[in-house]
């Protein structure tokens, strides 16, 4: 980060804040009984780099106590470290200093959602949109909360706006696919997941989500291919192991299905898809085709 006479330049801080805002808005995996929400950006920092960065950013805040960008940047670092209450405090200070900052409201909304404060998150996303009606990330964030709350029409409307504003946003297409999937429109959902993957093929969530819709439309070999891709990116995802097991089971490949269900259960013993699959294949009653 550029420094002159012991001060971090305003341009560097604003640039870092923009990068942080983009990073915080990581893709959300499909929500289901089989697994909790996951966010692509929240990987544990085992290098100590985040802690070191927070320390240096705290020095910047001390030298620039009236600079909203300094608080926004440190808040993003706190969020990456999983310290969401501290992140929210910094974003709140940034908003106090610059009440017209759509990105600060958006970042606070994202941090609030990580700790289950969906109502506060929804209010902040709406505030960001009111400040800047062309701020695409806030529409995506608000849509994700609306979907979680069952407001699928509202979520779809927000995501249509987000895609119009940012037609190359993989996250917007992924999020809209999740809404259509929840509406039972799996063919349309697959098209949106296709668009998300075309724009960013290097994250697992759209493959895993598309796999569920492919299973729903009886396209089991394609679903298996998608879960291969998802697990290649993240082989600790119990939900992907479980649904690949389901795709194998529906294809009549019981041995492979059992192995996948066992792998899923080894990662998450509470995974509902794996539990029901193991019950069927290990002598329980019922059939996957019932």
């Amino acid at each position: 980060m550029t420094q002159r006479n012991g001060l971090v330049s305003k341009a560097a801080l604003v640039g870092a804040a923009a990068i942080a805002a983009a990073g915080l808005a990581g893709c959300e995996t499909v929500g289901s009984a089989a697994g909790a929400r996951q966010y692509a950006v929240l990987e544990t920092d085992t290098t100590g780099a985040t802690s070191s960065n927070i320390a240096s950013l705290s020095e910047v805040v001390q030298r620039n106590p009236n600079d909203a960008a300094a608080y926004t940047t440190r808040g993003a670092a706190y969020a990456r470290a999983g310290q969401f209450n501290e992140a929210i405090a910094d974003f709140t200070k940034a908003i106090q200093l610059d009440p017209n900052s759509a990105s600060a409201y958006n970042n606070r909304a994202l941090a609030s959602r990580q700790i289950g404060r969906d109502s506060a998150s929804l209010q902040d996303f709406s505030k960001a949109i009111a400040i800047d009606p062309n701020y695409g990330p806030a529409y995506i964030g608000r849509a994700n909360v609306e979907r979680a709350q069952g407001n699928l029409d509202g979520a779809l409307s927000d995501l249509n706006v987000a895609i119009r504003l940012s037609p190359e946003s993989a996250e917007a297409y992924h999020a809209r696919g999740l809404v259509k999937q929840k509406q039972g429109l799996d063919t349309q959902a697959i098209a949106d997941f296709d668009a998300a993957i075309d724009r960013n093929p290097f994250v697992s969530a759209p493959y895993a989500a598309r796999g569920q819709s492919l299973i729903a439309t009886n396209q089991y070999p394609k679903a298996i291919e998608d879960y291969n891709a998802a697990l290649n990116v993240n082989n600790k995802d119990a939900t992907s192991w479980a649904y690949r097991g389901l795709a194998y089971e529906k294809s009549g490949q019981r041995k492979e299905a059992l192995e996948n269900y066992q792998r899923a259960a080894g990662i998450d013993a509470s995974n509902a898809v794996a539990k029901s699959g193991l019950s069927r294949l290990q002598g329980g009653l019922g059939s996957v085709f019932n």
Side-chain angles (χ1 to χ4, degrees):
M1 199 170 285
T2 306
Q3 297 193 31
R4 289 194 181 97
N5 300 323
L7 294 176
V8 175
S9 72
K10 181 83 169 187
L13 281 171
V14 171
I19 294 169
L24 276 168
C27 284
E28 180 183 328
T29 65
V30 61
S32 71
R37 287 196 305 262
Q38 298 175 342
Y39 296 82
V41 299
L42 298 176
E43 298 174 0
T44 303
D45 174 21
T46 59
T47 67
T50 300
S51 296
S52 175
N53 192 38
I54 289 172
S56 63
L57 291 171
S58 294
E59 294 178 3
V60 174
V61 168
Q62 290 173 1
R63 290 195 297 267
N64 302 271
N66 296 314
D67 190 338
Y71 287 97
T72 298
T73 307
R74 188 177 67 174
Y78 275 131
R80 285 194 298 272
Q83 297 175 243
F84 299 113
N85 288 318
E86 290 83 354
I88 290 167
D90 269 0
F91 295 139
T92 298
K93 182 64 175 178
I95 289 166
Q96 290 170 353
L97 292 169
D98 182 6
N100 291 315
S101 173
S103 64
Y105 276 104
N106 186 68
N107 280 351
R108 190 171 70 175
L110 290 163
S112 293
R113 187 158 191 229
Q114 290 287 354
I115 56 176
R117 298 179 183 173
D118 281 2
S119 294
S121 179
L122 197 62
Q123 290 175 9
D124 276 351
F125 283 131
S126 296
K127 183 65 175 179
I129 290 167
I131 291 169
D132 183 358
N134 293 318
Y135 192 70
Y139 289 97
I140 299 171
R142 188 169 72 177
N144 285 332
V145 179
E146 290 167 335
R147 175 174 55 83
Q149 294 181 337
N151 181 8
L152 301 184
D153 290 339
L156 186 60
S157 176
D158 273 348
L159 290 166
N160 288 339
V161 174
I163 289 170
R164 177 176 58 79
L165 292 171
S166 304
E168 294 307 310
S169 171
E171 186 186 359
Y173 278 103
H174 172 70
R176 194 173 71 175
L178 293 177
V179 173
K180 291 181 177 179
Q181 187 177 68
K182 202 164 185 177
Q183 292 175 319
L185 303 173
D186 285 290
T187 299
Q188 293 182 31
I190 289 168
D192 273 348
F193 296 137
D194 288 346
I197 291 166
D198 285 344
R199 286 157 176 77
N200 185 358
F202 303 112
V203 294
S204 64
Y207 293 101
R210 188 173 66 180
Q212 289 194 28
S213 285
L214 288 168
I215 290 173
T217 54
N218 304 320
Q219 299 180 69
Y220 309 129
K222 289 184 178 180
I224 291 168
E225 290 179 5
D226 268 358
Y227 287 115
N228 290 342
L231 290 166
N232 187 53
V233 176
N234 177 17
N235 69 358
K236 302 297 184 183
D237 180 15
T239 299
S240 289
W241 284 106
Y243 273 102
R244 190 170 73 171
L246 183 60
Y248 275 126
E249 186 180 358
K250 285 178 175 271
S251 299
Q253 298 172 264
R254 292 173 62 88
K255 177 178 179 292
E256 291 82 357
L258 182 60
E259 290 172 350
N260 277 261
Y261 289 143
Q262 290 172 333
R263 188 67 178 267
I267 297 169
D268 178 9
S270 67
N271 186 285
V273 173
K275 287 171 68 176
S276 61
L278 288 170
S279 177
R280 287 190 299 273
L281 295 183
Q282 293 179 334
L285 297 175
S287 166
V288 71
F289 293 101
N290 284 347

